[in-house]
Amino acid sequence: MNGAHALIQTLADAGIEVVFTNPGTSEMHFVAALDDEPRLRAVLALFEGVATGAADGYARMAGKPAATLLHLGCGLGNGLANLHNARKGKVPVLNIVGDHATHHVKYDAQLQSDIETVARNVSPGFVRTAASTAALAQDAVDALVAARGLPGQVATLILPADVSWSEGGVPCAAPPASPAPPADAQTLAQIADLLRSGQPVALLLGGQALLEPGLMAAARIAAQAGAKLFAECFPTRMERGAGLPAPERIAYLAELASVQLAPFKHLVLVDAKSPVSFFAYPGKQSDLVPGGCTVHTLASPAQDAIASLQALATALGADGSAPALQPARAPGRPRGRLSAPKVCKAVGHLLPERAIVIDEAITSGLMLGVMTAGSPRHDLITLTGGAIGQGLPNAVGAAIACPDRPVIALVGDGSSMYTIQALWTMAREGLNVTTVVFNNASYSVLNVELERVGATGGGGPKARAQLDLQGPGLNFAQLAQGMGVHAVRTDTAEGFCRAFEYALAQPGPHLIEALVPESLAGAKRRVLPWMLRALPSLPPAMALAIKRKIAP
């Protein structure tokens, strides 16, 4: 048995079912060995960023890692952005990167690079270059154990070609996953006392805490103690919809997040990071926790957040408390000229049960949360690391992980162009994905940021040209059709609803190009920075009302 066969058998024995590939010459023995392992599905991507983003989306929904297969340091570099998103989302990914044969490295051939240095950007916890065929399978097991533990991580195994092709490979069994510890008794007692104190307390939920068992336990705690529930701004995976608790997501705009957190004296983190602003801004604080508010940790990402919340509910005597649940309340069917809020309204009106919604709509998705809050139960996946180009690949992975569930990817026009090749993989694999592209011909969020950072001279033609996508205009329906995906474009709400209903009723991938104006444009965009700067001086009730108007 050569190294490649031993590696693939080891992966399949350990429960790895899918590998997302973009291989090259150095990986050919791995590719050849795939035919001998029926348990491992191989999915080809035309760009490495699609393969890595698909592995991310798969793991978020399957609850276990997929593998990637990438070609040398350059291929890894092409896939780095979506591995960054996976790292920030604490998503388990087994990242396999082919390398030159060990005896070839000294010649510094054209594709030779320092793969380990590149990989450490997204795999700080595990990077290893396999040194021998005999030890390769054990290397793979070590990588898998690192990836699937808490917190989940990207583990990178570098596979030299001769280690793959040489004989002497020995499959290796992976140990069962070790359970993560819950919060200790002292921490539980301290947080329980805090919640009984009568002081204003908020719980910030992330990671595992945003799945149903965690949400229900947190909602019982909130009902018993009068605490506020928040969710991270960009959750890895959040179960939501009618019949579930509905924590309020922290706003993207730092000024609005500060308004949300201002009333609280204590913030309890549950598998979440203490909130900071997405970027630095002149004259503004990066730490969003208000002065006088103390941050506590119930469960770190390395602990079992669900068990910790359930134990805290028991300690508070909240097991019998009635949690506040989101009532079923779908918005009406939109009509007239299409806009981004009307697209969000149509999605909320028509969203099917158990859908997986992937939100990379950027500014066009400002109304998505409120429009889908009372829709049938669904999962939400968001842009955890901020590196755009995640939405379409995530949809590929989610659809493969959950083939019985409809997947709806809402993406901006600019972000979709980063990984547009994912449409081809959707068509090739026959995936039930409905993609909605908001075509507003602009990097709209950057126009907003240009105003917020106070960049002088930013209104000239040269500066503005860097932030718009006009001339030539993009036709996403034609791009999709060229890759085998059924597609339509529309500028009316009626046309969008018809297209969305058709896509949900027919198998296979579909794309709807929604021709919409910018959600934040003109006077609205110019006024926004002034309004945000005024928030700290306004009465708290007025500031909160403005926050809900801008980002409900």
Side-chain angles (χ1 to χ4, degrees), residues 418-496:
Y418 278 57
T419 48
I420 195 73
Q421 307 93 331
L423 297 174
W424 182 87
T425 301
M426 292 177 194
R428 178 183 173 98
E429 299 292 327
L431 303 179
N432 291 321
V433 177
T434 300
T435 297
V436 177
V437 177
F438 293 86
N439 188 348
N440 59 19
S442 173
Y443 281 123
S444 186
V445 69
L446 297 184
N447 281 295
V448 173
E449 295 288 11
L450 185 68
E451 304 281 355
R452 290 182 70 212
V453 299
T456 58
K462 198 179 296 184
R464 292 294 180 187
Q466 310 314 304
L467 308 180
D468 78 68
L469 301 178
Q470 300 183 45
L474 292 164
N475 189 314
F476 290 93
Q478 290 183 351
L479 288 168
Q481 289 164 1
M483 287 184 272
V485 174
H486 172 265
V488 297
R489 62 184 345 215
T490 181
D491 60 1
T492 69
E494 291 83 358
F496 180 87

Side-chain angles (χ1 to χ4, degrees), residues 61-242:
M61 295 309 304
K64 65 178 183 179
T68 69
L69 181 66
L70 308 177
H71 182 45
L72 301 169
C74 297
L76 173 60
N78 283 342
L80 215 60
N82 277 325
L83 290 172
H84 163 82
N85 290 326
R87 179 175 74 89
K88 288 294 186 179
K90 305 184 290 290
V91 179
V93 175
L94 179 57
N95 195 39
I96 300 172
V97 184
D99 195 6
H100 287 297
T102 54
H103 62 267
H104 192 65
V105 170
K106 65 182 179 182
Y107 298 106
D108 192 25
Q110 283 83 347
L111 277 170
Q112 181 67 41
S113 63
D114 184 352
I115 302 175
E116 288 196 1
T117 296
V118 177
R120 285 192 186 96
N121 287 278
V122 293
S123 296
F126 188 98
V127 177
R128 183 182 299 176
T129 299
S132 73
T133 301
L136 173 59
Q138 182 61 57
D139 291 334
V141 166
D142 292 345
L144 179 61
V145 169
R148 73 185 183 191
L150 287 181
Q153 63 176 305
V154 179
T156 298
L157 176 63
I158 300 167
L159 177 60
D162 55 333
V163 173
S164 183
W165 75 50
S166 296
E167 295 182 357
V170 181
C172 185
S178 301
D184 59 46
Q186 182 180 357
T187 299
L188 287 170
Q190 289 173 345
I191 302 297
D193 288 343
L194 181 68
L195 287 162
R196 294 188 190 103
S197 70
Q199 298 182 72
V201 180
L203 276 65
L204 178 56
L205 310 179
Q208 319 150 58
L210 292 173
L211 302 180
E212 182 182 1
L215 287 170
M216 295 299 286
R220 290 190 176 96
I221 292 167
Q224 178 78 8
K228 172 74 174 181
L229 295 185
F230 287 113
E232 286 185 309
C233 179
F234 293 102
T236 301
R237 175 187 173 188
M238 181 176 179
E239 293 188 285
R240 62 192 303 270

Side-chain angles (χ1 to χ4, degrees), residues 20-41:
F20 296 97
T21 79
N22 187 281
T25 303
S26 302
E27 296 76 49
M28 286 298 101
H29 285 81
F30 187 106
V31 171
L34 287 169
D35 282 314
D36 294 328
E37 182 47 79
R39 295 173 293 172
L40 193 62
R41 178 177 180 179

